[in-house]
Amino acid sequence: MYLFHEFREVNEFWEYSPKFKVKNIQDVHNFAFKNYCEVDGNLSEDFARIKKLKITFFEAKYKLVNHMMSYALATPFKKTESFEVTFSNEASIVYPMPAYKPVGSKENFLGNLFLMQLTVLEVYPGKEGQPLFAEDFYLGEKWRGEYTEVLKQIDKI
């Protein structure tokens, strides 16, 4: 699975400034998901859950096009770092965002797109023959709200 987002290195006038460089991605982004399956609001133990997850980061500089309405890559994505995260064998919401320091820009770019590749390495088995199940993956800026609040909005939809 791939998830992507961006971080800006600009001031309110969209001018590049190194002082806006993101020091730790945990400070500005949330990443969370349900490491279990819910059926009609009830927990289902039938399905496998993620035990070990590898998170690989890729970054690319971007520019805005179409009157600043769309992103366009200014450079190709480049692999920057990988992390392995292990979860306990319990049905819970997990927050696996590692302490990652983005490479970012050293030039006059608005910022970087980052892409997270998620690779499941190990699972806790469910009932025999049942697949892995995790749901409601979320990657977003912290100022947009907490994951549990976002889930309430998703559930309304």
Side-chain angles (χ1 to χ4, degrees):
M1 172 183 280
Y2 293 92
L3 302 170
F4 80 94
H5 217 276
E6 52 88 26
F7 50 87
R8 296 181 195 105
E9 296 176 349
V10 294
N11 63 18
E12 66 273 14
F13 304 108
W14 291 89
E15 298 168 330
Y16 169 77
S17 176
K19 74 178 186 177
F20 293 111
K21 186 170 178 65
V22 174
K23 306 291 188 261
N24 185 339
I25 209 157
Q26 288 177 332
D27 296 339
V28 294
H29 278 80
N30 283 324
F31 170 48
F33 62 91
K34 292 179 181 177
N35 196 19
Y36 59 90
C37 175
E38 250 181 339
V39 179
D40 296 326
N42 297 314
L43 182 68
S44 174
E45 294 287 340
D46 294 347
F47 300 94
R49 286 194 285 271
I50 298 172
K51 179 178 184 179
K52 188 182 256 186
L53 181 69
K54 180 178 178 183
I55 301 172
T56 305
F57 282 90
F58 297 81
E59 287 189 38
K61 292 172 182 57
Y62 74 87
K63 56 188 175 184
L64 292 175
V65 294
N66 191 20
H67 300 288
M68 299 184 79
M69 298 298 291
S70 304
Y71 294 108
L73 291 180
T75 62
F77 276 104
K78 181 179 177 186
K79 181 180 175 180
T80 55
E81 198 164 348
S82 290
F83 302 88
E84 288 186 9
V85 182
T86 303
F87 305 111
S88 63
N89 189 12
E90 56 187 52
S92 63
I93 293 173
V94 293
Y95 298 86
M97 181 65 88
Y100 171 66
K101 181 181 177 185
V103 174
S105 302
K106 293 184 177 92
E107 302 141 19
N108 192 18
F109 282 95
L110 299 176
N112 276 21
L113 292 176
F114 69 91
L115 182 134
M116 293 170 46
Q117 178 185 26
L118 308 178
T119 307
V120 176
L121 302 176
E122 294 180 47
V123 299
Y124 294 109
K127 286 188 177 176
E128 188 168 333
Q130 293 296 330
L132 169 68
F133 199 100
E135 63 183 351
D136 295 334
F137 284 82
Y138 173 73
L139 175 64
E141 295 168 319
K142 284 193 171 187
W143 67 267
R144 294 188 184 272
E146 285 300 314
Y147 176 69
T148 51
E149 293 302 314
V150 173
L151 281 179
K152 289 176 188 172
Q153 295 172 24
I154 291 170
D155 290 342
K156 285 180 184 176
I157 294 172

